[in-house]
Amino acid sequence: MKISRDWLSDFIDLTQPAEELAEVLTQTGLEIEGVEEVEQIPGSLEGLVVGEVVSCDQHPNADKLKLTQVDVGEEEPLPIVCGAPNVATGQKVIVALVNTTIHPTSGDPFKIKKSKIRGEVSMGMICAEDEIGLGSSHDGIMVLDTEKPNGTPVREIFQPGVDTVFEIGLTPNRGDAASHLGTARDLKAFYKQPLKAMSQPTFEIQEVDPISVVVENSEACPRYSGVTIRDIKVGPSPDWLQFRLRAIGLSPINNIVDITNYVLHGLGQPLHAFDADQVTGGKVVVKTLAEGSAFVTLDEKERKLNANDLMICNAEEGMCIAGVFGGIKSGMTEASTSVFLESAYFSQDWVRATAMRHGLSTDASFRYERGTDPEMTMKALKYATQLILDIAGGYVASDFVDIYPQRVEPKKIHMPYRNFEWLIGKKLPEDEINDILQRLDIQVAPAGDHMVATVPAYRSEVTRPADLVEEVLRIHGINNIDIDESFSTEYLAEFEENEPYNIQEELSLFLVGQGYQEIVTNSLTNPAYYEKYPLGGEPVEILNKSSLELGILKTDPLYTAIEVLRHNINRKMPNLKLYEFCKTYEQVEGSYKETEWLTLYLSGQTEESWMAPSRPFTFHELAGVAGGLFYMQNISVNTTVLEAGKTFQYGLQYTSGHEPLGEIGLLQPDLTALAGVDQEVYHLRISWSKFLELTTKKLEFEDLSKFPEVRRDLSLVLDKSISFKEIEELAFKSEKKLLTRVNVFSIYEGENIGGDKKAYAISFFLQDREKTLTDKLIDKVMGHLIKQFESQIGAIIRK
């Protein structure tokens, strides 16, 4: 949200520098994300001066060019070549001097240089209005009607405005601050300054074909105000209004629409302008339509209405989705001569649900969803009416309609004063607490050691005693709360021996040491991912979506992780080692299931060095890290080969006992392509809850053996279906005492041993902790192993 300093000054006197205002607003809960200077005219006419054409002759080498001498207040006139048809001697003109940068109405800025045009020197430029951002006309140069002396800066004549604009990261609970008035209220409370009083205009009413209003659903629309204005002239807004809107990033449209936007951003009250001549039957009806009714909105899309979509209708059909979006037939056009102006208070819940159902987000719905002020509808309506009469002309053609059957009462909150000290951590005088709340328009009635706070309706988020504490704290200043040198607690908490957070930190340090970086992704993800490539169980849909792209809770860690991969790859960071502790969610038999994961991602290549060239990461590098994770927590795992599936092209499954623990492998390219990732990604996922169950710190230590280890190598020719894991398990089963390690150091496949065979070169390590091994015993052990390999798995021992 953007807030203009000049606009703020309409509500409160400000003398503080922008830096101080930014700091104060951030402290009061309106975090400033940026401060910028906005010029009414780009460049603010810098370097442009008043000149007088003292001579104007035909260019000797061009029929359409003139040679002029222009007095710009210097000792000698400047020679300037000009192509404008209306340039003439005696004119006062705008001159861009050499080295001046000018900013055209359209196109990029450019610098004026000394030049030769068709052989004649030109020391500047006589400007048309579109060449310096003063308008769109290019029919000829601007001729000034001024008595200012030659050489006077043009900015002294036009006085282009410069405004300071604050970018506020508005939190969802501060709907009251979604306007310049709302922001000014916080400054009023902080600086103890009054707001400027709003004028209360009165109108002469000439009742001509007034539009009547019927509210059929007062739950969704507790208050509806409106007025008819006729004989208006739709056209461009005045410069001051256009600048106000442009300063906060809005594009002017026409005077009527611009006024509604001006009031919206000024007072926080959305308005809607209907072409009164298009209100069939002279009646506005606030109601719902039948389920599935078709309605075409301003963006020319046909939408099917829900039975709970509140509509603004005429006597025959819908004209507007209340508080959200107008219809194609309801808007003002250049030909409109009358307007029905709506100012309403709609239910937050109804507007939020409708906006989410249709995937619509507008300036109006943004404010209605967060809560507007039911007491503002008539004030804003009369303010806008006066602006329309002043800018677009016309007359008020009806009484002001104000349907408000049941007033929205202010909330009352009972609270002991001691709760402020309990929650803030500092005792504040009761008088200071009362004063701060009253400066925030919260009326306080002390009642002994309690208070009764009456909260204005526009502060819809202040509902609990804790909210009152927050209000006091943000004005008193959280920086004014002293922090004790030491803290204590009233009890000592008991922790599990294998406390999950300690284990998580230990594993994180290990992974960082391996070159991995932690990522933290959103629990919400794009439903389109699941629709195109469903993983996990049935998704949990978010009822109150912040956007359609964040419509479900993720059913698989990959949906959000591949977006992180894409983000980095697109920014020339393709070599990635990432890990994440995360959760997934799914619906199970009418209930919900939450699962915790530890996930790793490996993609790209190793860094090149003088010792080795760059090469792609491999499956075994990730598998080695997985082994380290299990080893650190003394978890014994088994592996089985994963068949190619929706997630992996190939890989392994980790199990402990008969329980699955995790999976590792190369991701399917169709899966990574969901987010536009086109390089190979290796992925490890471990069930975090099962991992914690298996974690044990009961480590056993033994002395290092005094006797040497012996290595013997065998080359085994086997069927391709036999895995190294089977060989390893058979070896340890056959020799339980002396065999300490088994390692494969070469694998061969080729025509020399047959197409269905492969050869493993394997080293076996033997050790006796009590004595030195003899050749006789070693040969005996190896002979027994060879027999087992031959008989159990059909191995052929290569000599």
Side-chain angles (χ1 to χ4, degrees):
M1 181 182 73
K2 292 187 176 182
I3 294 293
S4 152
R5 181 193 174 109
D6 285 352
W7 204 336
L8 269 180
S9 298
D10 289 350
F11 298 97
I12 185 171
D13 288 324
L14 297 174
T15 59
Q16 299 80 2
E19 294 77 9
E20 180 183 331
L21 291 175
E23 185 176 341
V24 168
L25 288 172
T26 297
Q27 175 182 307
T28 59
L30 303 179
E31 184 178 357
I32 300 298
E33 297 178 341
V35 180
E36 65 174 333
E37 297 290 325
V38 178
E39 298 174 311
Q40 182 176 9
I41 301 172
S44 294
L45 306 178
E46 188 68 37
L48 303 177
V49 299
V50 174
E52 182 176 354
V53 181
V54 295
S55 68
C56 179
D57 301 310
Q58 182 65 45
H59 193 294
N61 302 317
D63 293 339
K64 295 184 179 181
L65 298 179
K66 300 288 179 64
L67 293 180
T68 67
Q69 295 287 320
V70 184
D71 181 2
V72 293
E74 299 179 358
E75 292 183 3
E76 297 291 334
L78 297 180
I80 298 177
V81 176
C82 180
N86 64 328
V87 63
T89 302
Q91 291 173 334
K92 288 274 192 168
V93 294
I94 297 176
V95 179
L97 302 176
V98 171
N99 293 325
T100 295
T101 298
I102 64 174
H103 299 260
T105 301
S106 59
D108 297 327
F110 62 92
K111 181 180 286 189
I112 301 300
K113 298 179 181 180
K114 177 182 177 181
S115 61
K116 274 193 174 184
I117 302 176
R118 295 291 184 92
E120 297 294 332
V121 173
S122 184
M123 297 291 291
M125 175 177 167
I126 304 175
C127 303
E129 66 176 42
D130 69 323
E131 293 170 331
I132 54 176
L134 283 174
S136 58
S137 173
H138 194 69
D139 293 337
I141 60 170
M142 286 190 69
V143 179
L144 301 176
D145 181 12
T146 179
E147 297 300 324
K148 295 282 187 181
N150 298 335
T152 301
V154 172
R155 61 191 308 169
E156 293 184 14
I157 299 174
F158 293 96
Q159 297 182 345
V162 178
D163 196 0
T164 301
V165 175
F166 302 96
E167 179 80 34
I168 295 179
L170 192 68
T171 53
N173 66 317
R174 290 303 307 276
D176 67 290
S179 66
H180 287 76
L181 172 60
T183 304
R185 288 189 184 117
D186 276 7
L187 294 174
K188 175 200 77 169
F190 185 88
Y191 285 117
K192 303 180 183 180
Q193 288 182 231
L195 293 180
K196 296 179 181 179
M198 282 186 63
S199 62
Q200 299 294 320
T202 57
F203 304 94
E204 180 181 343
I205 297 173
Q206 304 175 42
E207 194 161 304
V208 177
D209 296 328
I211 292 174
S212 62
V213 177
V214 177
V215 177
E216 294 186 3
N217 189 329
S218 58
E219 176 193 351
C221 179
R223 186 174 190 179
Y224 192 94
S225 307
V227 68
T228 305
I229 306 170
R230 298 193 181 277
D231 200 23
I232 60 170
K233 174 67 175 177
V234 178
S237 296
D239 290 343
W240 70 266
L241 178 52
Q242 293 194 37
F243 181 42
R244 281 281 171 92
L245 297 179
R246 285 197 176 100
I248 61 170
L250 298 180
S251 297
I253 298 172
N254 61 51
N255 48 12
I256 304 300
V257 175
D258 291 350
I259 287 169
T260 62
N261 283 330
Y262 181 70
V263 174
L264 166 68
H265 289 273
L267 303 180
Q269 174 61 46
L271 305 174
H272 192 84
F274 297 92
D275 186 331
D277 294 329
Q278 301 299 316
V279 181
T280 306
K283 178 186 289 188
V284 167
V285 184
V286 184
K287 63 179 181 179
T288 55
L289 297 178
E291 178 79 28
S293 298
F295 181 70
V296 181
T297 47
L298 278 171
D299 56 3
E300 300 183 358
K301 293 183 179 179
E302 182 177 284
R303 303 177 188 276
K304 298 297 182 182
L305 298 178
N306 183 278
N308 289 322
D309 291 336
L310 186 67
M311 299 293 295
I312 310 299
C313 306
N314 57 35
E316 297 179 356
E317 60 184 350
M319 299 188 296
C320 175
I321 302 177
V324 181
F325 211 20
I328 192 69
K329 300 178 181 179
S330 68
M332 301 292 294
T333 68
E334 299 297 324
S336 299
T337 58
S338 60
V339 58
F340 176 76
L341 196 60
E342 166 193 283
S343 178
Y345 172 69
F346 296 119
S347 161
Q348 294 174 243
D349 296 339
W350 279 71
V351 172
R352 184 184 301 117
T354 294
M356 293 310 306
R357 271 193 293 268
H358 296 287
L360 293 171
S361 179
T362 60
D363 282 345
S365 67
F366 178 88
R367 285 155 179 82
Y368 280 127
E369 290 175 27
R370 288 158 175 78
T372 58
D373 183 4
E375 302 303 319
M376 183 58 72
T377 61
M378 282 298 294
K379 295 177 184 177
L381 182 63
K382 290 184 176 181
Y383 181 48
T385 299
Q386 186 63 60
L387 287 171
I388 289 175
L389 297 180
D390 292 342
I391 295 172
Y395 62 90
V396 179
S398 73
D399 283 330
F400 285 86
V401 176
D402 188 24
I403 301 175
Y404 196 14
Q406 185 171 353
R407 185 170 182 266
V408 178
E409 296 294 337
K411 296 180 291 295
K412 293 186 181 295
I413 302 175
H414 297 258
M415 179 174 176
Y417 280 105
R418 67 174 180 272
N419 283 15
F420 286 94
E421 180 181 1
W422 176 49
L423 291 175
I424 292 176
K426 176 181 179 180
K427 185 173 180 59
L428 299 180
E430 291 181 9
D431 289 346
E432 181 180 353
I433 292 172
N434 296 342
D435 180 52
I436 289 175
L437 291 176
Q438 286 170 347
R439 297 201 314 261
L440 289 166
D441 298 336
I442 298 173
Q443 301 304 311
V444 177
D449 61 351
H450 284 63
M451 69 156 64
V452 179
T454 303
V455 183
Y458 72 81
R459 294 303 306 275
S460 60
E461 85 288 0
V462 179
T463 60
R464 308 168 300 165
D467 296 330
L468 294 178
V469 175
E470 181 181 347
E471 292 301 296
V472 170
L473 184 57
R474 67 189 184 85
I475 300 301
H476 176 76
I478 194 169
N479 294 333
N480 295 322
I481 306 300
D482 297 328
I483 299 178
D484 292 337
E485 294 182 359
S486 62
F487 294 91
S488 61
T489 61
E490 297 176 355
Y491 64 93
L492 292 177
E494 295 184 1
F495 295 95
E496 300 177 14
E497 183 177 350
N498 292 324
E499 209 281 319
Y501 293 105
N502 290 337
I503 297 173
Q504 180 173 331
E505 182 177 9
E506 184 179 350
L507 297 187
S508 292
L509 291 173
F510 167 74
L511 290 170
V512 169
Q514 297 295 316
Y516 283 75
Q517 294 179 299
E518 184 173 15
I519 60 174
V520 180
T521 63
N522 203 334
S523 293
L524 303 175
T525 191
N526 194 330
Y529 292 155
Y530 187 87
E531 293 168 4
K532 295 177 182 177
Y533 211 99
L535 296 172
E538 183 180 352
V540 179
E541 183 177 359
I542 302 301
L543 299 181
N544 183 21
K545 303 179 182 69
S546 60
S547 71
L548 291 178
E549 289 73 26
L550 299 174
I552 63 170
L553 290 168
K554 62 185 177 186
T555 57
D556 193 279
L558 286 165
Y559 289 137
T560 50
I562 56 177
E563 290 183 337
V564 176
L565 292 166
R566 176 194 62 195
H567 182 86
N568 284 274
I569 292 169
N570 288 348
R571 284 156 182 79
K572 308 302 181 184
M573 298 287 289
N575 304 325
L576 301 168
K577 292 182 174 182
L578 308 174
Y579 75 94
E580 180 180 23
F581 292 91
C582 66
K583 297 178 181 180
T584 57
Y585 313 84
E586 58 185 302
Q587 295 190 59
V588 180
E589 297 178 353
S591 185
Y592 301 99
K593 179 182 178 182
E594 181 180 277
T595 306
E596 295 182 274
W597 299 95
L598 166 57
T599 60
L600 275 68
Y601 305 89
L602 183 65
S603 183
Q605 298 185 325
T606 61
E607 294 294 332
E608 61 184 357
S609 72
W610 63 273
M611 297 180 65
S614 177
R615 59 167 179 77
F617 288 129
T618 66
F619 168 86
H620 298 284
E621 287 171 283
L622 185 58
V625 174
L629 294 171
F630 297 132
Y631 178 79
M632 287 181 65
Q633 300 304 317
N634 200 25
I635 297 175
S636 177
V637 296
N638 297 312
T639 58
T640 55
V641 175
L642 272 179
E643 298 294 333
K646 295 191 70 173
T647 302
F648 296 104
Q649 297 183 56
Y650 63 81
L652 297 173
Q653 182 179 55
Y654 293 108
T655 58
S656 181
H658 298 292
E659 288 288 319
L661 179 58
E663 297 174 328
I664 183 173
L666 176 64
L667 291 179
Q668 291 284 6
D670 289 346
L671 173 55
T672 55
L674 279 178
V677 175
D678 58 1
Q679 64 186 45
E680 290 188 338
V681 180
Y682 296 101
H683 170 52
L684 166 70
R685 60 175 62 196
I686 296 172
S687 169
W688 184 238
S689 58
K690 290 188 175 67
F691 187 92
L692 292 175
E693 290 174 7
L694 296 169
T695 293
T696 174
K697 288 296 183 182
K698 295 180 180 178
L699 302 179
E700 296 181 359
F701 298 90
E702 59 183 4
D703 293 334
L704 295 174
S705 176
K706 299 177 182 179
F707 303 99
E709 187 178 63
V710 175
R711 168 177 168 168
R712 291 291 185 269
D713 296 341
L714 290 179
S715 179
L716 285 69
V717 178
L718 300 157
D719 289 341
K720 282 189 175 181
S721 60
I722 303 297
S723 67
F724 170 71
K725 186 71 175 178
E726 293 176 81
I727 301 171
E728 184 181 37
E729 290 176 349
L730 179 58
F732 280 109
K733 181 180 178 181
S734 301
E735 178 51 57
K736 298 178 180 179
K737 182 179 179 182
L738 301 180
L739 186 62
T740 58
R741 290 186 293 139
V742 179
N743 179 55
V744 58
F745 59 89
S746 179
I747 301 175
Y748 172 77
E749 296 181 42
E751 296 179 358
N752 294 338
I753 59 173
D756 60 344
K757 301 288 186 180
K758 61 182 173 181
Y760 283 109
I762 301 175
S763 55
F764 299 86
F765 296 87
L766 308 174
Q767 187 179 47
D768 191 326
R769 301 186 60 80
E770 298 177 357
K771 61 184 178 182
T772 300
L773 291 173
T774 63
D775 288 340
K776 183 177 180 180
L777 181 56
I778 294 170
D779 292 341
K780 180 180 178 182
V781 170
M782 294 305 299
H784 180 63
L785 288 175
I786 289 171
K787 287 182 181 179
Q788 292 297 313
F789 294 148
E790 290 174 335
S791 62
Q792 297 294 326
I793 57 177
I796 300 173
I797 310 301
R798 299 177 70 189
K799 304 298 183 182

